Amino acid sequence: MSLQHTKQFGSWEFLCSHSPSLAPCNLFFNQIQSLNSSDTILYNSTSFSLVSNNLQSAGVGVRPTCFIRRAGHEGGLGNIAQIVATALCFVFSLILFAAAKRRIAAVGRVEFATLLGLWALIDVFSLLTTGSFLQQGSDYIVWLTSIQMGLRSAWFWSLIVNGLNSTQLIEDGTPPSILSLWVGGIAFFVGTGYIAVDTAFNWSGNLPPSNPPEYLLSNGLFVLLLLWPMIAVFIYSLLMTYVIFFLLKESIPAFWFSLSLLSFMLSQAALFALGHTICDGTNSRIDGAFVATLLEAISLGLLFAGWRSITEDSWYGYDGPQVPVYPKQEPLSNFK
């Protein structure tokens, strides 16, 4: 296999072999396993020389240079650091969700709470698909991964809608805003989920394995899972720059949003660049996935702080609808 081809647009070969705990690789594992030559393709890796039962012990990845052994096999505990980090981040997302729901008068409250709720769901599926305690090549890990990828794709659409709400080009809480949020989100969820499932099972025959199959080519997944998030973050950054500097003429919110963007970028760097290094350095006990998960949670918290700083709200003192108070009228006799 040439290095030039692994860098081809749409190829996941390098990522699935050098980035431990990358969830989309679960789809390609199932795809390759259905082939007659699957043993040669999947297990031609130095990592598998350390285990006696390749399939039962396999962690996330396709021909990985390093992987976290599946829990309960070959002495493995699963990706314990990722499991703990994802569970903590799930709780953190729920706390932010509850806080957003309580901001009664905040602009985009419903839409931003939806954003946070979606992320909490993503954390649940991420724990299942990257925790290294489900068997690779099984149908259920394919379905769980497909749902996770669909939710993640929909989340970035929700991010853009929240940006549009901040500009008031779409008034928050109105039918156009809610419909655009849900219709667009469902479209991304279904579209991404379909491509993910069909990549693994090839039901339609339209997304067969690449030739040769170890190149792991999938333009659809490459666009929706790698390029689309970057495009969405870029669009959201432009929208918030316009809101902060041209509408509000403030500088403090820019601090929160900039830190959120930086934390998100660092999380992706940790996932793709640090994963292999940490995995090797810890003798396949943990990888960089937990660092990426924690940084994404920090990014989400900073995003909430930025949203809070640009919106009006009514916090814990809110006691429900208030009775209007009108000016007291003087009797007409006083004007005689």
Side-chain angles (χ1 to χ4, degrees):
M1 181 187 307
S2 68
L3 181 61
Q4 179 180 1
H5 199 97
T6 63
K7 293 182 177 180
Q8 177 180 337
F9 181 87
S11 174
W12 290 79
E13 191 279 333
F14 185 82
L15 294 176
C16 286
S17 62
H18 288 79
S19 299
S21 299
L22 193 62
C25 301
N26 296 330
L27 306 172
F28 292 105
F29 193 103
N30 188 282
Q31 179 191 80
I32 298 300
Q33 191 183 28
S34 65
L35 304 176
N36 293 330
S37 58
S38 61
D39 287 353
T40 302
I41 296 172
L42 289 175
Y43 307 139
N44 183 19
S45 168
T46 56
S47 295
F48 280 114
S49 64
L50 302 177
V51 296
S52 59
N53 190 325
N54 290 334
L55 182 58
Q56 293 297 323
S57 301
V60 180
V62 178
R63 305 208 313 172
T65 55
C66 183
F67 66 81
I68 309 299
R69 299 171 192 172
R70 185 181 167 210
H73 296 270
E74 302 291 338
L77 298 175
N79 198 340
I80 189 66
Q82 170 68 347
I83 293 171
V84 172
T86 306
L88 291 175
C89 293
F90 169 71
V91 174
F92 180 62
S93 299
L94 290 182
I95 293 173
L96 293 180
F97 174 80
K101 291 289 288 183
R102 298 189 69 175
R103 305 190 74 231
I104 303 300
V107 175
R109 178 177 69 95
V110 174
E111 292 83 353
F112 198 82
T114 302
L115 188 79
L116 297 171
L118 275 175
W119 195 264
L121 281 176
I122 292 171
D123 281 335
V124 172
F125 285 95
S126 178
L127 187 150
L128 297 172
T129 60
T130 62
S132 289
F133 56 84
L134 296 178
Q135 182 173 324
Q136 283 295 312
S138 59
D139 289 354
Y140 47 82
I141 199 171
V142 168
W143 284 104
L144 292 172
T145 301
S146 299
I147 294 173
Q148 179 192 351
M149 297 302 100
L151 288 172
R152 190 173 178 89
S153 181
W155 188 89
F156 286 99
W157 168 255
S158 179
L159 184 69
I160 292 179
V161 173
N162 274 270
L164 291 173
N165 284 152
S166 298
T167 67
Q168 290 295 285
L169 292 175
I170 301 179
E171 189 174 351
D172 63 291
T174 61
S177 176
I178 302 300
L179 282 176
S180 63
L181 178 68
W182 283 99
V183 173
I186 290 173
F188 271 101
F189 174 79
V190 173
T192 304
Y194 164 75
I195 293 175
V197 171
D198 209 16
T199 296
F201 296 129
N202 191 27
W203 284 342
S204 69
N206 296 323
L207 300 173
S210 53
N211 186 22
E214 56 264 34
Y215 289 157
L216 309 184
L217 291 175
S218 176
N219 291 337
L221 290 180
F222 197 87
V223 170
L224 288 168
L225 302 181
L226 294 180
L227 296 185
W228 163 238
M230 291 189 291
I231 293 171
V233 168
F234 177 73
I235 293 174
Y236 182 78
S237 299
L238 290 180
L239 291 172
M240 298 317 299
T241 298
Y242 169 72
V243 169
I244 293 169
F245 293 109
F246 293 93
L247 293 184
L248 300 179
K249 302 186 187 310
E250 296 284 348
S251 58
I252 294 179
F255 171 76
W256 296 114
F257 286 112
S258 297
L259 286 181
S260 177
L261 177 60
L262 176 62
S263 183
F264 177 77
M265 293 172 62
L266 290 175
S267 72
Q268 302 310 293
L271 181 62
F272 295 115
L274 288 181
H276 177 267
T277 302
I278 296 177
C279 185
D280 277 342
T282 60
N283 196 24
S284 298
R285 290 185 176 86
I286 61 174
D287 57 30
F290 83 97
V291 178
T293 298
L294 292 175
L295 286 171
E296 285 182 338
I298 292 172
S299 177
L300 193 68
L302 292 168
L303 189 68
F304 175 85
W307 172 71
R308 178 183 175 182
S309 69
I310 65 172
T311 56
E312 297 179 356
D313 62 86
S314 178
W315 270 93
Y316 304 106
Y318 181 75
D319 298 319
Q322 304 295 315
V323 178
V325 179
Y326 299 100
K328 184 177 180 180
Q329 295 184 355
E330 296 289 339
L332 294 176
S333 57
N334 293 346
F335 294 96
K336 292 181 181 179

